[in-house]
Amino acid sequence: MTLPLVIGNWKMNMLASEACDMARSLVDRLSATEGAEVVVAPPFTSLYPVSQIVKGSRLGLAGQNFCSEKKGAYTGEVSIEMLKDVGCGYALIGHSERRQLFGETDEEVNKKVHLAMQMGITAVVCVGETQDQRKAGETLNVIETQLSGCLAGLSSESIAHLAIAYEPVWAIGTGSNATPDQAVEIHKFIRKFLFGSQGFSEEIGARILYGGSVTPENCKELLGEEEIDGALVGGASLNFESFCAIIKSSLES
Ligand code: PGA
């Protein structure tokens, strides 16, 4: 059985000192708990100091984004090698905020996925439909298009370093999460895509997470579903007790 994966996406929140305090508290709490793979994704400026705190602990570190080029004259960008250098074992790729606010395309996501795999960094690829797309009955088409674009050219072995986060755009930061049934439907579809049409090895596996307004109140129900291998948590990961409650639920489910 694979351990649940719970990732806290801190987005553009917390100064370095706050991020370090939070990381210290999480490291302490995790040392007293069994199981669950727990990861935090602080802003770039906090990655290095946080990495010094999580070193040797059970808390993993993720970048929220990185450049689709390896290195060079790309002012303002951060490379995958730089993420690895500061101790990131994971990277979020194609978060809907990157797609919607910064115009990231499936093609760029695909380049980043390949770069992450080359570095041995677990790529957490985010997919999800908007409210309008769901209303128009296009959800499955949208997910399929995103998955085929984002995962093009991946080998079956490389998916050991892959997680897919299903994050319906309408559920992100809105307080209205997908129901377990809605999430399970899409998770099943993603699983079928990966291990059916793409022919990836189910034995190697890739975890499929749910994200979008996950809270201590709804996580038990969501994470209790066999199809849901973990959670990508935004808002609720900024509060220590809320995030710990979600981690605890992931273990009980
Ligand atoms: P949320 O964010 O939990 O605040 O909805 C999730 C995400 O954006 O990954």
Side-chain angles (χ1 to χ4, degrees):
M1 205 194 80
T2 45
L3 287 176
L5 172 59
V6 180
I7 306 178
N9 175 10
W10 294 350
K11 307 193 181 186
M12 200 172 74
N13 294 293
M14 294 204 262
L15 300 179
S17 59
E18 297 165 312
C20 288
D21 286 347
M22 180 73 133
R24 245 179 246 113
S25 308
L26 286 169
V27 165
D28 283 353
R29 183 68 66 92
L30 286 176
S31 65
T33 1
E34 292 281 296
E37 199 172 324
V38 183
V39 174
V40 290
F44 289 139
T45 48
S46 298
L47 283 174
Y48 182 74
V50 169
S51 76
Q52 300 305 297
I53 293 163
V54 307
K55 214 183 258 178
S57 80
R58 281 193 32 227
L59 183 62
L61 193 60
Q64 295 177 14
N65 179 40
F66 59 92
C67 185
S68 57
E69 299 298 331
K70 265 189 174 162
K71 70 191 291 185
Y74 300 99
T75 302
E77 293 293 304
V78 164
S79 75
I80 188 73
E81 203 180 351
M82 292 167 184
L83 292 188
K84 175 129 187 165
D85 186 45
V86 292
C88 291
Y90 307 76
L92 307 184
I93 308 181
H95 188 279
S96 72
E97 283 149 20
R98 303 275 347 145
R99 293 175 186 266
Q100 295 208 308
L101 306 172
F102 302 99
E104 189 157 308
T105 62
D106 289 338
E107 207 179 341
E108 275 174 280
V109 172
N110 182 242
K111 278 176 85 174
K112 294 182 185 189
V113 172
H114 281 272
L115 287 173
M117 304 272 162
Q118 283 163 24
M119 280 286 155
I121 286 186
T122 296
V124 183
V125 177
C126 306
V127 296
E129 80 288 0
T130 63
Q131 184 72 276
D132 286 351
Q133 289 165 333
R134 177 163 277 265
K135 277 195 184 139
E138 290 167 2
T139 302
L140 298 183
N141 279 345
V142 169
I143 303 291
E144 184 163 13
T145 306
Q146 289 176 337
L147 288 173
S148 19
C150 296
L151 305 181
L154 284 194
S155 66
S156 202
E157 303 75 62
S158 59
I159 63 152
H161 289 293
L162 178 70
I164 304 290
Y166 168 54
E167 296 209 303
V169 178
W170 48 270
I172 296 179
T174 58
S176 49
N177 58 288
T179 63
D181 284 353
Q182 285 172 324
V184 164
E185 184 201 357
I186 308 302
H187 279 230
K188 280 191 173 152
F189 179 77
I190 296 173
R191 217 171 283 281
K192 214 164 124 201
F193 177 90
L194 296 175
F195 306 119
S197 36
Q198 287 301 101
F200 290 148
S201 154
E202 203 156 5
E203 256 161 51
I204 298 177
R207 279 169 296 186
I208 307 173
L209 317 179
Y210 169 77
S213 294
V214 174
T215 62
E217 290 72 39
N218 61 27
C219 64
K220 212 174 205 136
E221 231 195 347
L222 286 160
L223 294 169
E225 294 289 347
E226 204 185 319
E227 285 289 328
I228 302 180
D229 304 321
L232 179 52
V233 187
S237 72
L238 297 173
N239 178 286
F240 176 65
E241 289 303 339
S242 297
F243 193 46
C244 288
I246 293 170
I247 296 166
K248 193 158 172 267
S249 283
S250 79
L251 289 172
E252 287 163 0
S253 55

